[in-house]
Amino acid sequence: MRFLHTADWQLGMSRRFLDPERQGQFDAARRDVLGTLGRLAVSEGCEAVVVGGDVFETNTESARTVRQAMEKLRDLPLKVFLLPGNHDPLNAASIWDSPKFRDACPDNVLVLRDGRPVQVRPGFEVVGAPWRSKRPTSDLLGDLLTGLDPAPPGVARVAVGHGAVDAVAPQADPVSLIRIAGVRAALEAGKAHYVALGDRHSTTEVTPRVWYSGAPEPTDFDEVDAGNVLIVGLDEADPAAPPTVTRHRVGTWRFEPVTVEVSGAADVAALRARLAALPDKDRTVLNFALRGTLSVAEKEALDAVREEAADLFAGSRDSSSRTDLAIRPADDDFDTLGLTGFAARTLDDLRELAAGGDEAAARQASDALGLLVRLTGSGATSRRAS
């Protein structure tokens, strides 16, 4: 028997570094990937899709978001099991009990509301540990597994949980942390044969029987291996045998770190070439972390590269600190400006400030020199060209 394991769809998620147009494209990708994973499940002969929590970004998502998601799942010839997670817990304000969800939910989509096993078909069960608040007071998956009886003979059971596991995230909230020792004991006792986890957006094997599928579309730069779903196979004749777990790439977006040293014109040119070579720019978000020392003219060239990237790529953010990138004016930055009188005296004062004094004043002077090169340098270039 085979099923598809996914999690952390977080439909309705917004990213502050995306403008409204790109945010719309990001929303569409997160919606469209549901169709992709559905088609994959069918082509791989899966009997079910299990979603390990955080289907929606919040409990207040719009009816439009809910309807569009359910429409993607409606025509699948298999059951889809949704687990409430920390983003969409099964509380008094739950989206799962709202008219917008109840009206849109098709018959093949089931919410795992309690710890009772649900039959996919004879010989195949799914059981879940839903979140009922954003701050649980215990290990929810551990509570579920402790209270379960072993699966009946000839029945393969998949347990679905959400949250951090102590084996891979020991720094997480100790109250709700999933204890892997208890999970192992439950697996050995035959209470479940595979544990499908959500919450960690990077695909991660905790043990051969316990996996995080990761998010089907990447959401941030710290996700090592996101954009995947898992096809899991259990031996129906011997569910206790090790499962087969195969990851499939379904995501279309990328979060690309750009951590480079720029200490001259050659480095700036290399950065421009690196960005130009990246594919799928309209679905790639950049995170610049630049360091080095540049002249004013080189800094202007770097700014031009950044401006071009802002037009071409889906989004970007800058993790460089104010001290990572130093500007040191060079004589040839100003040789062709042709300034006289007051403008020339101002230029000399700024160069003196940029070369010494306190750090804040030097940086402000360097910024002013950069603006001066941009404003007067472009005019000088035009005059030389004419």
PDB file of all heavy atoms in Angstrom, residues 251-280:
ATOM      1  N   GLY A 251       7.934  21.574  -5.726  1.00  0.00           N
ATOM      2  CA  GLY A 251       7.970  23.028  -5.587  1.00  0.00           C
ATOM      3  C   GLY A 251       8.539  23.717  -6.808  1.00  0.00           C
ATOM      4  O   GLY A 251       9.362  23.149  -7.540  1.00  0.00           O
ATOM      5  N   THR A 252       8.115  24.940  -7.027  1.00  0.00           N
ATOM      6  CA  THR A 252       8.570  25.715  -8.179  1.00  0.00           C
ATOM      7  C   THR A 252       9.288  26.999  -7.778  1.00  0.00           C
ATOM      8  O   THR A 252       9.912  27.643  -8.610  1.00  0.00           O
ATOM      9  CB  THR A 252       7.389  26.081  -9.093  1.00  0.00           C
ATOM     10  OG1 THR A 252       6.436  26.859  -8.353  1.00  0.00           O
ATOM     11  CG2 THR A 252       6.714  24.834  -9.639  1.00  0.00           C
ATOM     12  N   TRP A 253       9.223  27.381  -6.492  1.00  0.00           N
ATOM     13  CA  TRP A 253       9.885  28.598  -6.024  1.00  0.00           C
ATOM     14  C   TRP A 253      11.217  28.247  -5.387  1.00  0.00           C
ATOM     15  O   TRP A 253      11.433  27.108  -4.954  1.00  0.00           O
ATOM     16  CB  TRP A 253       9.001  29.345  -5.023  1.00  0.00           C
ATOM     17  CG  TRP A 253       7.974  30.210  -5.705  1.00  0.00           C
ATOM     18  CD1 TRP A 253       7.009  29.784  -6.559  1.00  0.00           C
ATOM     19  CD2 TRP A 253       7.843  31.625  -5.612  1.00  0.00           C
ATOM     20  NE1 TRP A 253       6.258  30.843  -6.993  1.00  0.00           N
ATOM     21  CE2 TRP A 253       6.744  31.989  -6.430  1.00  0.00           C
ATOM     22  CE3 TRP A 253       8.508  32.616  -4.904  1.00  0.00           C
ATOM     23  CZ2 TRP A 253       6.332  33.317  -6.568  1.00  0.00           C
ATOM     24  CZ3 TRP A 253       8.097  33.937  -5.040  1.00  0.00           C
ATOM     25  CH2 TRP A 253       7.029  34.276  -5.863  1.00  0.00           C
ATOM     26  N   ARG A 254      12.110  29.251  -5.339  1.00  0.00           N
ATOM     27  CA  ARG A 254      13.420  29.068  -4.721  1.00  0.00           C
ATOM     28  C   ARG A 254      13.725  30.279  -3.845  1.00  0.00           C
ATOM     29  O   ARG A 254      13.377  31.405  -4.191  1.00  0.00           O
ATOM     30  CB  ARG A 254      14.529  28.940  -5.777  1.00  0.00           C
ATOM     31  CG  ARG A 254      14.386  27.761  -6.696  1.00  0.00           C
ATOM     32  CD  ARG A 254      15.411  27.843  -7.814  1.00  0.00           C
ATOM     33  NE  ARG A 254      16.777  27.829  -7.317  1.00  0.00           N
ATOM     34  CZ  ARG A 254      17.795  28.438  -7.919  1.00  0.00           C
ATOM     35  NH1 ARG A 254      17.602  29.137  -9.011  1.00  0.00           N
ATOM     36  NH2 ARG A 254      19.003  28.357  -7.430  1.00  0.00           N
ATOM     37  N   PHE A 255      14.398  30.022  -2.728  1.00  0.00           N
ATOM     38  CA  PHE A 255      14.902  31.086  -1.858  1.00  0.00           C
ATOM     39  C   PHE A 255      16.420  30.975  -1.877  1.00  0.00           C
ATOM     40  O   PHE A 255      16.988  30.034  -1.328  1.00  0.00           O
ATOM     41  CB  PHE A 255      14.321  30.940  -0.454  1.00  0.00           C
ATOM     42  CG  PHE A 255      12.883  31.378  -0.361  1.00  0.00           C
ATOM     43  CD1 PHE A 255      11.876  30.595  -0.899  1.00  0.00           C
ATOM     44  CD2 PHE A 255      12.542  32.584   0.226  1.00  0.00           C
ATOM     45  CE1 PHE A 255      10.548  31.000  -0.846  1.00  0.00           C
ATOM     46  CE2 PHE A 255      11.217  32.998   0.294  1.00  0.00           C
ATOM     47  CZ  PHE A 255      10.215  32.206  -0.247  1.00  0.00           C
ATOM     48  N   GLU A 256      17.053  31.928  -2.553  1.00  0.00           N
ATOM     49  CA  GLU A 256      18.466  31.828  -2.899  1.00  0.00           C
ATOM     50  C   GLU A 256      19.316  32.770  -2.041  1.00  0.00           C
ATOM     51  O   GLU A 256      19.213  33.999  -2.139  1.00  0.00           O
ATOM     52  CB  GLU A 256      18.653  32.194  -4.377  1.00  0.00           C
ATOM     53  CG  GLU A 256      20.078  32.117  -4.880  1.00  0.00           C
ATOM     54  CD  GLU A 256      20.543  30.691  -5.135  1.00  0.00           C
ATOM     55  OE1 GLU A 256      19.698  29.797  -5.210  1.00  0.00           O
ATOM     56  OE2 GLU A 256      21.764  30.485  -5.267  1.00  0.00           O
ATOM     57  N   PRO A 257      20.175  32.236  -1.168  1.00  0.00           N
ATOM     58  CA  PRO A 257      21.098  33.110  -0.431  1.00  0.00           C
ATOM     59  C   PRO A 257      22.215  33.598  -1.343  1.00  0.00           C
ATOM     60  O   PRO A 257      22.764  32.824  -2.137  1.00  0.00           O
ATOM     61  CB  PRO A 257      21.634  32.204   0.675  1.00  0.00           C
ATOM     62  CG  PRO A 257      21.497  30.820   0.130  1.00  0.00           C
ATOM     63  CD  PRO A 257      20.309  30.824  -0.789  1.00  0.00           C
ATOM     64  N   VAL A 258      22.542  34.876  -1.234  1.00  0.00           N
ATOM     65  CA  VAL A 258      23.627  35.458  -2.032  1.00  0.00           C
ATOM     66  C   VAL A 258      24.637  36.024  -1.037  1.00  0.00           C
ATOM     67  O   VAL A 258      24.586  37.200  -0.663  1.00  0.00           O
ATOM     68  CB  VAL A 258      23.109  36.551  -2.988  1.00  0.00           C
ATOM     69  CG1 VAL A 258      24.247  37.070  -3.863  1.00  0.00           C
ATOM     70  CG2 VAL A 258      21.978  36.009  -3.855  1.00  0.00           C
ATOM     71  N   THR A 259      25.537  35.169  -0.602  1.00  0.00           N
ATOM     72  CA  THR A 259      26.550  35.546   0.389  1.00  0.00           C
ATOM     73  C   THR A 259      27.889  35.607  -0.329  1.00  0.00           C
ATOM     74  O   THR A 259      28.469  34.571  -0.673  1.00  0.00           O
ATOM     75  CB  THR A 259      26.606  34.520   1.529  1.00  0.00           C
ATOM     76  OG1 THR A 259      25.312  34.406   2.120  1.00  0.00           O
ATOM     77  CG2 THR A 259      27.610  34.935   2.585  1.00  0.00           C
ATOM     78  N   VAL A 260      28.383  36.814  -0.594  1.00  0.00           N
ATOM     79  CA  VAL A 260      29.596  36.963  -1.405  1.00  0.00           C
ATOM     80  C   VAL A 260      30.465  38.103  -0.870  1.00  0.00           C
ATOM     81  O   VAL A 260      29.998  39.010  -0.184  1.00  0.00           O
ATOM     82  CB  VAL A 260      29.261  37.238  -2.893  1.00  0.00           C
ATOM     83  CG1 VAL A 260      28.594  36.052  -3.538  1.00  0.00           C
ATOM     84  CG2 VAL A 260      28.406  38.476  -3.031  1.00  0.00           C
ATOM     85  N   GLU A 261      31.740  38.025  -1.231  1.00  0.00           N
ATOM     86  CA  GLU A 261      32.714  39.087  -0.962  1.00  0.00           C
ATOM     87  C   GLU A 261      32.790  39.966  -2.202  1.00  0.00           C
ATOM     88  O   GLU A 261      32.993  39.481  -3.320  1.00  0.00           O
ATOM     89  CB  GLU A 261      34.085  38.474  -0.676  1.00  0.00           C
ATOM     90  CG  GLU A 261      35.194  39.466  -0.448  1.00  0.00           C
ATOM     91  CD  GLU A 261      35.304  39.910   1.002  1.00  0.00           C
ATOM     92  OE1 GLU A 261      34.802  39.183   1.877  1.00  0.00           O
ATOM     93  OE2 GLU A 261      35.879  40.978   1.247  1.00  0.00           O
ATOM     94  N   VAL A 262      32.582  41.262  -2.022  1.00  0.00           N
ATOM     95  CA  VAL A 262      32.709  42.212  -3.141  1.00  0.00           C
ATOM     96  C   VAL A 262      33.741  43.262  -2.744  1.00  0.00           C
ATOM     97  O   VAL A 262      33.470  44.137  -1.941  1.00  0.00           O
ATOM     98  CB  VAL A 262      31.358  42.860  -3.503  1.00  0.00           C
ATOM     99  CG1 VAL A 262      30.503  41.912  -4.312  1.00  0.00           C
ATOM    100  CG2 VAL A 262      30.591  43.305  -2.273  1.00  0.00           C
ATOM    101  N   SER A 263      34.921  43.136  -3.332  1.00  0.00           N
ATOM    102  CA  SER A 263      36.012  44.057  -2.981  1.00  0.00           C
ATOM    103  C   SER A 263      36.675  44.633  -4.218  1.00  0.00           C
ATOM    104  O   SER A 263      37.880  44.858  -4.248  1.00  0.00           O
ATOM    105  CB  SER A 263      37.043  43.347  -2.100  1.00  0.00           C
ATOM    106  OG  SER A 263      36.489  43.028  -0.845  1.00  0.00           O
ATOM    107  N   GLY A 264      35.879  44.852  -5.235  1.00  0.00           N
ATOM    108  CA  GLY A 264      36.409  45.453  -6.443  1.00  0.00           C
ATOM    109  C   GLY A 264      35.460  45.272  -7.606  1.00  0.00           C
ATOM    110  O   GLY A 264      34.448  44.561  -7.512  1.00  0.00           O
ATOM    111  N   ALA A 265      35.786  45.907  -8.728  1.00  0.00           N
ATOM    112  CA  ALA A 265      34.924  45.859  -9.904  1.00  0.00           C
ATOM    113  C   ALA A 265      34.742  44.436 -10.424  1.00  0.00           C
ATOM    114  O   ALA A 265      33.665  44.074 -10.897  1.00  0.00           O
ATOM    115  CB  ALA A 265      35.508  46.753 -11.001  1.00  0.00           C
ATOM    116  N   ALA A 266      35.790  43.630 -10.314  1.00  0.00           N
ATOM    117  CA  ALA A 266      35.692  42.245 -10.804  1.00  0.00           C
ATOM    118  C   ALA A 266      34.669  41.454  -9.994  1.00  0.00           C
ATOM    119  O   ALA A 266      33.911  40.647 -10.545  1.00  0.00           O
ATOM    120  CB  ALA A 266      37.063  41.577 -10.747  1.00  0.00           C
ATOM    121  N   ASP A 267      34.625  41.687  -8.692  1.00  0.00           N
ATOM    122  CA  ASP A 267      33.656  40.980  -7.848  1.00  0.00           C
ATOM    123  C   ASP A 267      32.229  41.413  -8.165  1.00  0.00           C
ATOM    124  O   ASP A 267      31.303  40.588  -8.167  1.00  0.00           O
ATOM    125  CB  ASP A 267      33.949  41.231  -6.372  1.00  0.00           C
ATOM    126  CG  ASP A 267      35.245  40.584  -5.909  1.00  0.00           C
ATOM    127  OD1 ASP A 267      35.671  39.606  -6.548  1.00  0.00           O
ATOM    128  OD2 ASP A 267      35.825  41.069  -4.921  1.00  0.00           O
ATOM    129  N   VAL A 268      32.059  42.699  -8.426  1.00  0.00           N
ATOM    130  CA  VAL A 268      30.727  43.189  -8.788  1.00  0.00           C
ATOM    131  C   VAL A 268      30.275  42.582 -10.113  1.00  0.00           C
ATOM    132  O   VAL A 268      29.129  42.151 -10.265  1.00  0.00           O
ATOM    133  CB  VAL A 268      30.722  44.730  -8.860  1.00  0.00           C
ATOM    134  CG1 VAL A 268      29.367  45.241  -9.348  1.00  0.00           C
ATOM    135  CG2 VAL A 268      31.044  45.336  -7.502  1.00  0.00           C
ATOM    136  N   ALA A 269      31.210  42.506 -11.068  1.00  0.00           N
ATOM    137  CA  ALA A 269      30.877  41.898 -12.366  1.00  0.00           C
ATOM    138  C   ALA A 269      30.552  40.412 -12.205  1.00  0.00           C
ATOM    139  O   ALA A 269      29.637  39.891 -12.858  1.00  0.00           O
ATOM    140  CB  ALA A 269      32.048  42.085 -13.333  1.00  0.00           C
ATOM    141  N   ALA A 270      31.285  39.722 -11.329  1.00  0.00           N
ATOM    142  CA  ALA A 270      31.007  38.308 -11.091  1.00  0.00           C
ATOM    143  C   ALA A 270      29.635  38.111 -10.456  1.00  0.00           C
ATOM    144  O   ALA A 270      28.916  37.162 -10.782  1.00  0.00           O
ATOM    145  CB  ALA A 270      32.090  37.712 -10.200  1.00  0.00           C
ATOM    146  N   LEU A 271      29.253  39.016  -9.565  1.00  0.00           N
ATOM    147  CA  LEU A 271      27.931  38.934  -8.954  1.00  0.00           C
ATOM    148  C   LEU A 271      26.849  39.139 -10.009  1.00  0.00           C
ATOM    149  O   LEU A 271      25.844  38.415 -10.028  1.00  0.00           O
ATOM    150  CB  LEU A 271      27.801  39.985  -7.848  1.00  0.00           C
ATOM    151  CG  LEU A 271      26.416  40.094  -7.199  1.00  0.00           C
ATOM    152  CD1 LEU A 271      26.005  38.782  -6.551  1.00  0.00           C
ATOM    153  CD2 LEU A 271      26.401  41.231  -6.179  1.00  0.00           C
ATOM    154  N   ARG A 272      27.057  40.104 -10.884  1.00  0.00           N
ATOM    155  CA  ARG A 272      26.082  40.339 -11.957  1.00  0.00           C
ATOM    156  C   ARG A 272      25.925  39.079 -12.821  1.00  0.00           C
ATOM    157  O   ARG A 272      24.805  38.673 -13.158  1.00  0.00           O
ATOM    158  CB  ARG A 272      26.513  41.517 -12.827  1.00  0.00           C
ATOM    159  CG  ARG A 272      25.518  41.846 -13.951  1.00  0.00           C
ATOM    160  CD  ARG A 272      26.116  42.870 -14.921  1.00  0.00           C
ATOM    161  NE  ARG A 272      26.289  44.138 -14.281  1.00  0.00           N
ATOM    162  CZ  ARG A 272      25.342  45.079 -14.187  1.00  0.00           C
ATOM    163  NH1 ARG A 272      24.136  44.835 -14.683  1.00  0.00           N
ATOM    164  NH2 ARG A 272      25.596  46.233 -13.605  1.00  0.00           N
ATOM    165  N   ALA A 273      27.038  38.431 -13.162  1.00  0.00           N
ATOM    166  CA  ALA A 273      26.987  37.224 -13.996  1.00  0.00           C
ATOM    167  C   ALA A 273      26.306  36.084 -13.250  1.00  0.00           C
ATOM    168  O   ALA A 273      25.529  35.319 -13.846  1.00  0.00           O
ATOM    169  CB  ALA A 273      28.405  36.820 -14.407  1.00  0.00           C
ATOM    170  N   ARG A 274      26.560  35.970 -11.943  1.00  0.00           N
ATOM    171  CA  ARG A 274      25.927  34.900 -11.154  1.00  0.00           C
ATOM    172  C   ARG A 274      24.411  35.071 -11.129  1.00  0.00           C
ATOM    173  O   ARG A 274      23.664  34.106 -11.316  1.00  0.00           O
ATOM    174  CB  ARG A 274      26.479  34.916  -9.730  1.00  0.00           C
ATOM    175  CG  ARG A 274      25.739  33.992  -8.776  1.00  0.00           C
ATOM    176  CD  ARG A 274      26.319  34.052  -7.381  1.00  0.00           C
ATOM    177  NE  ARG A 274      25.454  33.377  -6.415  1.00  0.00           N
ATOM    178  CZ  ARG A 274      25.736  33.237  -5.123  1.00  0.00           C
ATOM    179  NH1 ARG A 274      26.879  33.718  -4.648  1.00  0.00           N
ATOM    180  NH2 ARG A 274      24.894  32.626  -4.318  1.00  0.00           N
ATOM    181  N   LEU A 275      23.960  36.286 -10.914  1.00  0.00           N
ATOM    182  CA  LEU A 275      22.518  36.526 -10.879  1.00  0.00           C
ATOM    183  C   LEU A 275      21.897  36.308 -12.251  1.00  0.00           C
ATOM    184  O   LEU A 275      20.786  35.767 -12.368  1.00  0.00           O
ATOM    185  CB  LEU A 275      22.232  37.941 -10.381  1.00  0.00           C
ATOM    186  CG  LEU A 275      22.671  38.257  -8.950  1.00  0.00           C
ATOM    187  CD1 LEU A 275      22.310  39.694  -8.584  1.00  0.00           C
ATOM    188  CD2 LEU A 275      22.055  37.291  -7.958  1.00  0.00           C
ATOM    189  N   ALA A 276      22.596  36.710 -13.294  1.00  0.00           N
ATOM    190  CA  ALA A 276      22.066  36.540 -14.649  1.00  0.00           C
ATOM    191  C   ALA A 276      21.891  35.065 -14.989  1.00  0.00           C
ATOM    192  O   ALA A 276      20.988  34.701 -15.760  1.00  0.00           O
ATOM    193  CB  ALA A 276      22.998  37.208 -15.656  1.00  0.00           C
ATOM    194  N   ALA A 277      22.722  34.195 -14.422  1.00  0.00           N
ATOM    195  CA  ALA A 277      22.666  32.769 -14.750  1.00  0.00           C
ATOM    196  C   ALA A 277      21.579  32.018 -13.987  1.00  0.00           C
ATOM    197  O   ALA A 277      21.268  30.877 -14.327  1.00  0.00           O
ATOM    198  CB  ALA A 277      24.028  32.128 -14.466  1.00  0.00           C
ATOM    199  N   LEU A 278      21.001  32.629 -12.961  1.00  0.00           N
ATOM    200  CA  LEU A 278      19.983  31.931 -12.177  1.00  0.00           C
ATOM    201  C   LEU A 278      18.711  31.747 -12.998  1.00  0.00           C
ATOM    202  O   LEU A 278      18.241  32.689 -13.630  1.00  0.00           O
ATOM    203  CB  LEU A 278      19.656  32.716 -10.900  1.00  0.00           C
ATOM    204  CG  LEU A 278      20.733  32.724  -9.813  1.00  0.00           C
ATOM    205  CD1 LEU A 278      20.294  33.617  -8.654  1.00  0.00           C
ATOM    206  CD2 LEU A 278      21.000  31.301  -9.307  1.00  0.00           C
ATOM    207  N   PRO A 279      18.128  30.549 -12.975  1.00  0.00           N
ATOM    208  CA  PRO A 279      16.889  30.318 -13.734  1.00  0.00           C
ATOM    209  C   PRO A 279      15.671  30.772 -12.931  1.00  0.00           C
ATOM    210  O   PRO A 279      15.760  31.077 -11.738  1.00  0.00           O
ATOM    211  CB  PRO A 279      16.879  28.793 -13.897  1.00  0.00           C
ATOM    212  CG  PRO A 279      17.566  28.301 -12.655  1.00  0.00           C
ATOM    213  CD  PRO A 279      18.621  29.327 -12.323  1.00  0.00           C
ATOM    214  N   ASP A 280      14.534  30.830 -13.597  1.00  0.00           N
ATOM    215  CA  ASP A 280      13.242  31.072 -12.940  1.00  0.00           C
ATOM    216  C   ASP A 280      13.296  32.293 -12.027  1.00  0.00           C
ATOM    217  O   ASP A 280      12.888  32.240 -10.861  1.00  0.00           O
ATOM    218  CB  ASP A 280      12.804  29.843 -12.142  1.00  0.00           C
ATOM    219  CG  ASP A 280      12.720  28.586 -12.995  1.00  0.00           C
ATOM    220  OD1 ASP A 280      12.263  28.702 -14.152  1.00  0.00           O
ATOM    221  OD2 ASP A 280      13.110  27.512 -12.515  1.00  0.00           O
TER     222      ASP A 280
END
